[in-house]
Amino acid sequence: MSSTEQSSAPNNFIRNRIRKEVESGQYDQIVTRFPPEPNGYLHIGHAKSIVLNFAMAAEFGGYTNLRFDDTNPAREEQRFIDAIKEDVSWLGYQWKNECHASDYFDTLYDYALHLIDNGLAYIDEQDGETIREQRGTLTEPGTESPFRDRPAAESRALFERMRAGELPDGAGVLRAKIDMAAPNINLRDPVIYRIRHQAHPRTGTDWCIYPSYDFAHGQSDAIEHITHSLCTLEFEDHRPLYDWLLEHLPVPSRPHQIEFARLNIDFTVLSKRRLTRLVEEGHVEGWDDPRMPTLAGIRRRGFTPQSIRNFCTEIGVTKSESVIPYSVLERNLRDDLNARAPRRMAVLRPLKLVLTNFPEGEVEWLQAANHPQNPDQGTRKVPMTREIWIEQDDFLEQAPRKFFRLKPGGEVRLRNAFIIKCDEVIKDAAGNVVELHCSFDPESRSGQPGADRKVKGTIHWVSAAHAVKTEVRLYDRLFRVPNPAADKNVDFVDHINPDSLEVLDSAMLEPGLDQAGHGACFQFERLGYFVPDPASRPDKPVFNQAVTLRDTWAKLEKAFSQ
Ligand code: ATP
Ligand code: MG
């Protein structure tokens, strides 16, 4: 991360708080963590948390750990751990330590015994249903379990038997003994350990009891000497429990939890549960489908790490929930790519155009700037021949007066070349336009006396003899409505946009683009930004449209928000 990137970040309540604490000498360094559960791929919402955690530590001279919150063996997999590491690295961040909540299972077990021995936890042998019913409601206090006041020695013996595998799943749970009448339901003797005879991806069959998220999280923070445990607002009500556990356990440090609003983006879903459904039910090709809001998906789509970091910085960090328009994400990509993507010519829906006064068999190599605003990117030669491809919608037979592209008898400039005039329109038996016959004005070439002659329109083109025939995939919003999960009575998958993917199988690209390596990105002039798909090969190129040149959605979104 560059230091200018950090210093351009606007202030927020977390940064202000940490700055004050650092200035008052409360901390020597700031240590944060990003704590994903390895049960799916990271999405753009996680990016907000990653950027915040890494930025705070870096800014105040500390570091960030990557901690896998792997306390639920049923849903966690090694492939998700690998994908998460790849995504965080790709975003541009280097964690100090790779940690796992499962690294602390021994310590957490000892902490549980500590609570038991101090009369602060007990084994409840009631079933889950009963425990849930006794929890009470927001207006009514909970009911104490008949096991609540059993002797500590009894709970210890049972807990040790649970750990030894002597009891089946569900035979008992360990609960913290806090207050069944607490207004905050999280404090009504929460379950902190469960029996689960299930192998764990990292600890194998060493354990058959697993700590709850709440019991593992704060203690893991303390073990790692995390100073600030930044998390999303839904954990605000868990903070009193987080603090209670830290106060009653012999932990090596005292972290503090601070909550911020999660990122929501319209026309998509940001929840692993829903994203998992999209993948498992085959609504998309996989976690890295370019329509997915996963980091793997938008990376394949062509998003750059810089554009995502810029986006996260722009949206800032607050305590109030909001929905960010998808177009804001796209604008950040456009801004980033506009500055650096080399320009190329490509025709997505080709129409044949014959230059009747261009000698047959001849090739004229024309000079083209790789980036008109950035001469450092140099120039390249593009071949002009008698037959070229132009975009179908750059020609209209019955054109309105303000149509400045090609029309019968009309003139247009070919980008990087010369002015042409449409002399003849060739149609098939069904009346479809199949070919245009045009003549070019040699005087309008660069360096010629007529080079400055003005016509209203300029269009792009590709030499038919040199064109690289390519599959191009165009993407649209994955959902048709701004908030697909809003209505509880409608399954969110029913809102999937059936036109979210359009495959063009005979796009024509400027020569050389078939050799574009993975990670390259181009502006196809007048069309948008495109990247080779990871599956693209020189003999069968495939390009993905990352984003269009202009925002066609901002207007729509404005209409929706009114
Ligand atoms: P999901 O809601 O998608 O299932 P999660 O919270 O279960 O996500 P975790 O792997 O537990 O996923 O999240 C890791 C971290 O990322 C947590 O600190 C969580 O608060 C944060 N996070 C998750 N989603 C968002 C979001 N939309 N915006 C900001 N931070 C998020
Ligand atoms: Mg979570």
Side-chain angles (χ1 to χ4, degrees):
M1 231 49 31
S2 70
S3 53
T4 49
E5 196 173 323
Q6 271 168 35
S7 58
S8 66
N11 273 329
N12 62 59
F13 72 100
I14 295 179
R15 174 184 276 109
N16 292 344
R17 169 172 160 176
I18 296 177
R19 183 181 293 127
K20 260 195 219 136
E21 291 168 343
V22 168
E23 282 168 5
S24 72
Q26 192 176 339
Y27 294 107
D28 295 334
Q29 66 174 356
I30 297 304
V31 183
T32 59
R33 85 289 169 265
F34 173 63
E37 182 179 357
N39 60 350
Y41 278 57
L42 298 182
H43 53 65
I44 179 86
H46 292 113
K48 174 176 180 175
S49 172
I50 295 169
V51 170
L52 175 66
N53 275 293
F54 279 90
M56 289 305 102
E59 197 173 320
F60 297 102
Y63 60 85
T64 302
N65 286 346
L66 176 59
R67 162 146 22 98
F68 291 100
D69 167 21
D70 55 351
T71 51
N72 181 355
R75 297 189 305 171
E76 293 152 8
E77 293 179 36
Q78 184 61 38
R79 68 183 171 116
F80 294 135
I81 293 187
D82 298 337
I84 288 169
K85 284 161 70 174
E86 187 183 347
D87 287 347
V88 177
S89 301
W90 174 75
L91 265 186
Y93 297 102
Q94 186 51 60
W95 53 91
K96 171 102 181 261
N97 306 300
E98 177 186 334
C99 310
H100 305 258
S102 56
D103 299 338
Y104 314 130
F105 280 172
D106 284 316
T107 311
L108 294 171
Y109 178 74
D110 289 342
Y111 285 161
L113 289 175
H114 180 95
L115 289 182
I116 294 171
D117 293 344
N118 286 279
L120 295 172
Y122 59 96
I123 298 292
D124 194 338
E125 292 172 61
Q126 302 181 102
D127 60 68
E129 179 91 1
T130 309
I131 293 176
R132 245 190 319 279
E133 277 166 10
Q134 291 173 350
R135 208 162 40 181
T137 64
L138 286 174
T139 48
E140 284 169 44
T143 310
E144 294 189 354
S145 161
F147 295 99
R148 195 171 198 265
D149 293 317
R150 76 195 314 173
E154 211 176 289
S155 283
R156 183 182 243 272
L158 274 169
F159 192 52
E160 283 169 347
R161 286 184 58 206
M162 276 166 60
R163 196 258 177 273
E166 291 172 25
L167 300 177
D169 286 12
V173 292
L174 183 67
R175 299 179 69 180
K177 189 170 171 180
I178 307 180
D179 180 1
M180 286 308 289
N184 183 333
I185 294 179
N186 291 299
L187 295 178
R188 294 183 190 167
D189 293 8
V191 172
I192 57 176
Y193 260 96
R194 284 186 181 80
I195 306 173
R196 192 167 276 179
H197 288 269
Q198 173 138 27
H200 184 282
R202 287 180 62 83
T203 59
T205 51
D206 289 354
W207 294 88
C208 57
I209 55 172
Y210 291 96
S212 68
Y213 170 86
D214 282 315
F215 192 69
H217 201 85
Q219 281 59 260
S220 300
D221 285 343
I223 292 165
E224 291 174 24
H225 292 262
I226 302 299
T227 55
H228 295 80
S229 183
L230 310 178
C231 64
T232 36
L233 282 177
E234 66 269 27
F235 294 105
E236 195 165 21
D237 289 346
H238 295 238
R239 179 155 33 99
L241 175 56
Y242 182 98
D243 290 338
W244 186 93
L245 289 166
L246 292 173
E247 278 154 22
H248 292 89
L249 287 169
V251 288
S253 80
R254 179 63 169 88
H256 291 274
Q257 175 178 309
I258 311 177
E259 310 85 18
F260 62 94
R262 63 192 293 117
L263 171 63
N264 302 299
I265 299 184
D266 62 6
F267 295 97
T268 191
V269 290
L270 293 182
S271 119
K272 268 187 283 189
R273 190 169 48 81
R274 294 200 176 93
L275 295 174
T276 303
R277 267 196 68 195
L278 291 176
V279 173
E280 287 180 353
E281 294 175 11
H283 300 290
V284 294
E285 271 176 35
W287 284 99
D288 70 342
D289 186 302
R291 294 165 293 179
M292 288 282 272
T294 51
L295 295 183
I298 61 179
R299 169 165 70 234
R300 186 167 156 205
R301 171 90 165 252
F303 276 75
T304 59
Q306 181 75 59
S307 67
I308 294 166
R309 295 199 303 264
N310 291 351
F311 168 77
C312 291
T313 304
E314 174 182 335
I315 58 172
V317 178
T318 65
K319 274 259 184 210
S320 55
E321 292 281 349
S322 65
V323 181
I324 307 292
Y326 199 91
S327 53
V328 176
L329 183 61
E330 292 190 322
R331 172 165 45 72
N332 275 281
L333 179 61
R334 230 177 251 125
D335 289 350
D336 183 34
L337 294 182
N338 182 33
R340 50 210 186 92
R343 274 50 172 168
R344 293 289 183 270
M345 291 199 286
V347 173
L348 297 185
R349 298 170 183 88
L351 172 63
K352 178 71 72 68
L353 186 153
V354 181
L355 294 168
T356 49
N357 58 340
F358 196 99
E360 206 147 343
E362 205 163 282
V363 181
E364 182 176 345
W365 291 89
L366 298 159
Q367 189 99 339
N370 286 330
H371 193 301
Q373 289 89 51
N374 179 4
D376 291 350
Q377 288 207 10
T379 59
R380 68 188 187 287
K381 299 272 197 202
V382 289
M384 173 62 84
T385 51
R386 184 179 163 89
E387 295 194 353
I388 62 174
W389 299 110
I390 67 162
E391 211 69 64
Q392 282 168 18
D393 61 8
D394 276 339
F395 172 78
L396 254 190
E397 196 173 17
Q398 310 287 340
R401 214 164 47 87
K402 293 245 158 144
F403 185 80
F404 297 128
R405 290 165 273 167
L406 205 52
K407 51 191 163 192
E411 280 191 321
V412 80
R413 181 174 281 278
L414 293 181
R415 178 88 175 131
N416 299 312
F418 36 61
I419 294 171
I420 60 170
K421 182 172 178 199
C422 180
D423 304 315
E424 202 182 341
V425 180
I426 314 293
K427 295 182 183 177
D428 63 11
N432 301 312
V433 177
V434 290
E435 202 170 286
L436 301 177
H437 287 185
C438 302
S439 48
F440 79 101
D441 171 10
E443 296 278 288
S444 63
R445 280 191 179 98
S446 153
Q448 300 294 316
D452 292 335
R453 184 157 80 82
K454 293 274 181 287
V455 287
K456 283 260 164 84
T458 298
I459 64 172
H460 59 272
W461 54 278
V462 172
S463 158
H466 299 81
V468 177
K469 191 171 169 195
T470 301
E471 177 177 322
V472 170
R473 299 173 186 163
L474 307 178
Y475 301 101
D476 201 344
R477 303 287 188 268
L478 185 52
F479 292 93
R480 285 175 300 193
V481 295
N483 187 353
D487 186 347
K488 298 284 168 285
N489 299 316
V490 182
D491 193 357
F492 77 100
V493 296
D494 293 344
H495 292 301
I496 289 178
N497 173 7
D499 304 317
S500 59
L501 168 64
E502 183 181 2
V503 179
L504 305 173
D505 57 8
S506 51
M508 299 293 177
L509 311 190
E510 187 183 310
L513 283 172
D514 47 340
Q515 303 299 324
H518 183 42
C521 179
F522 302 94
Q523 183 193 98
F524 290 174
E525 292 196 71
R526 301 179 63 232
L527 297 172
Y529 296 94
F530 292 79
V531 300
D533 189 79
S536 185
R537 295 188 313 269
D539 59 328
K540 194 181 178 309
V542 179
F543 273 76
N544 294 321
Q545 181 175 54
V547 66
T548 53
L549 276 190
R550 268 176 231 91
D551 185 2
T552 47
W553 274 81
K555 263 197 241 148
L556 251 177
E557 279 167 337
K558 218 169 151 197
F560 272 120
S561 67
Q562 275 166 3

